[in-house]
Amino acid sequence: MSKIKPSKGAPYARILGVGGYRPTRVVPNEVILETIDSSDEWIRSRSGIETRHWANDEETVAAMSIEASGKAIADAGISAEQIGGVIVSTVSHFKQTPAVATEIADKLGTDKAAAFDISAGCAGFGYGLTLAKGMIVEGSAEYVLVIGVERLSDLTDLEDRATAFLFGDGAGAVVVGPSQEPGMGPTIWGSEGDKSDTIKQTVPWTDYRDGEVAKFPAITQEGQAVFRWAVFEMAKIAQQALDAAGISSDDLDVFIPHQANERIIDSMVKTLKLPEHVTVARDVRTTGNTSAASIPLAMERLLATGEAKSGDTALVIGFGAGLVYAATVVTLP
């Protein structure tokens, strides 16, 4: 018989607060058209994107995260000292070590919170939520800060007609804490590494370092392959998340998919046969694809505008490079 005492965590976990930060510079499609042969109409019809935000030199991954996190902590009604874990999902923090989460945890004023980064692309926020829930139920932290943050403008090839218009910068954060009733459903997550070439960095950092290529690495993707995968396969994952939570689409109030492309969003809504009463996040129009930051940024905007309200039941799903995915049902803070 084990001598280890059982953990004394909370029975359940839920999102208690949300915050977002969008860089001050707004970039319309006209700016993108300076370097690619396209049109505003083509960009909007293919992606739904009208504008995106690009960070300046002061709006670093850490700085944007701190701004978003401060809002989330205030929204949750707790203090930074109560945060026991900081999880940051990003692919655009260019220091291999230390994790940017440690800097964020310190500058926020946490009391030596556990802090680490994860790299799960556009599904990273969902991965972070799942880890946070486990920490709280297991008892290793009472409150966990989950941050999705990107400066994808640093990884955008402005001469690549297929991707130059897609990416934006920003940070979204949530506080996950204890609950006496279920506030987060089971996560349906996974990876399909055999499709990893469909979204990837153009070359390894070492190729650039060693002078084998002159162009700084960027993100590239096979648009049609990604579109087909997201539309057909991710709708199945979203349905599995609903089933795992024990609800149907009729029970949903809000749908917050990764803000990759409005055509993908529309197709998923159709495939899932979501009722008209379900509010659908379309933050992609003015924020672009911010990878790990897209779901919390969209969540924050829906709540701020009143399109969604506290207590609503929301289906969230992220999917992207890897290829990886994560879907779950949550109660909005």
Side-chain angles (χ1 to χ4, degrees):
M1 180 179 293
S2 174
K3 297 179 181 179
I4 300 172
K5 293 181 179 180
S7 300
K8 295 182 178 180
Y12 305 104
R14 65 166 291 170
I15 299 173
L16 300 176
V18 60
Y21 180 83
R22 293 171 174 81
T24 54
R25 183 186 177 194
V26 177
V27 180
N29 288 338
E30 285 72 20
V31 171
I32 307 298
L33 297 175
E34 294 173 5
T35 53
I36 61 171
D37 180 17
S38 188
S39 69
D40 177 62
E41 181 183 2
W42 187 89
I43 293 174
R44 292 184 188 225
S45 66
R46 292 302 181 97
S47 68
I49 299 172
E50 303 166 8
T51 61
R52 74 285 292 148
H53 296 255
W54 283 355
N56 60 34
D57 290 344
E58 287 73 40
E59 291 167 322
T60 63
V61 165
M64 292 191 292
S65 297
I66 290 166
E67 289 290 332
S69 298
K71 295 175 184 177
I73 291 169
D75 191 43
I78 65 170
S79 66
E81 291 86 351
Q82 292 175 273
I83 297 290
V86 177
I87 303 171
V88 177
S89 178
T90 185
V91 298
S92 48
H93 174 58
F94 292 152
K95 275 188 179 179
Q96 193 70 38
T97 191
V100 71
T102 58
E103 177 185 349
I104 295 166
D106 176 63
K107 290 186 175 178
L108 284 173
T110 68
D111 184 17
K112 300 179 181 179
F116 56 96
D117 299 349
I118 60 174
S119 177
C122 305
F125 179 72
Y127 276 47
L129 279 183
T130 305
L131 294 172
K133 179 173 71 171
M135 292 165 70
I136 290 161
V137 173
E138 186 269 342
S140 60
E142 186 175 12
Y143 300 99
V144 178
L145 184 65
V146 179
I147 304 165
V149 56
E150 302 292 1
R151 273 182 56 121
L152 294 181
S153 58
D154 292 333
L155 286 168
T156 298
D157 180 355
L158 294 177
E159 296 178 347
D160 181 357
R161 189 174 183 271
T163 62
F165 59 91
L166 287 176
F167 302 120
D169 304 338
V174 298
V175 172
V176 181
S179 175
Q180 293 303 308
E181 59 183 18
M184 298 171 64
T187 300
I188 306 300
W189 56 352
S191 65
E192 298 185 34
D194 60 315
K195 300 179 181 66
S196 61
D197 280 349
T198 56
I199 307 174
K200 64 181 181 180
Q201 185 171 302
T202 49
V203 296
W205 301 115
T206 49
D207 284 6
Y208 182 73
R209 180 199 66 188
D210 297 341
E212 295 181 25
V213 294
K215 205 168 191 178
F216 193 74
I219 296 174
T220 184
Q221 68 175 33
E222 297 176 14
Q224 288 302 315
V226 172
F227 183 89
R228 289 193 297 270
W229 176 77
V231 168
F232 296 109
E233 298 304 319
M234 291 305 97
K236 298 175 186 176
I237 298 302
Q239 184 61 55
Q240 288 177 36
L242 290 174
D243 295 342
I247 66 171
S248 71
S249 58
D250 290 335
D251 299 313
L252 272 185
D253 299 304
V254 185
F255 179 44
I256 311 178
H258 166 47
Q259 302 292 292
N261 180 307
E262 192 165 34
R263 289 173 63 208
I264 292 175
I265 294 171
D266 288 340
S267 295
M268 292 183 71
V269 168
K270 184 178 180 179
T271 302
L272 288 167
K273 299 179 180 179
L274 295 184
E276 289 188 7
H277 74 263
V278 176
T279 297
V280 180
R282 300 183 184 277
D283 196 44
V284 66
R285 294 173 178 172
T286 56
T287 307
N289 180 343
T290 56
S291 189
S294 78
I295 291 175
L297 279 173
M299 183 185 295
E300 185 258 355
R301 174 160 282 173
L302 288 175
L303 290 166
T305 59
E307 296 174 80
K309 63 183 184 299
S310 175
D312 278 354
T313 299
L315 169 63
V316 300
I317 179 170
F319 44 86
L323 292 170
V324 294
Y325 54 87
T328 187
V329 175
V330 302
T331 301
L332 295 183

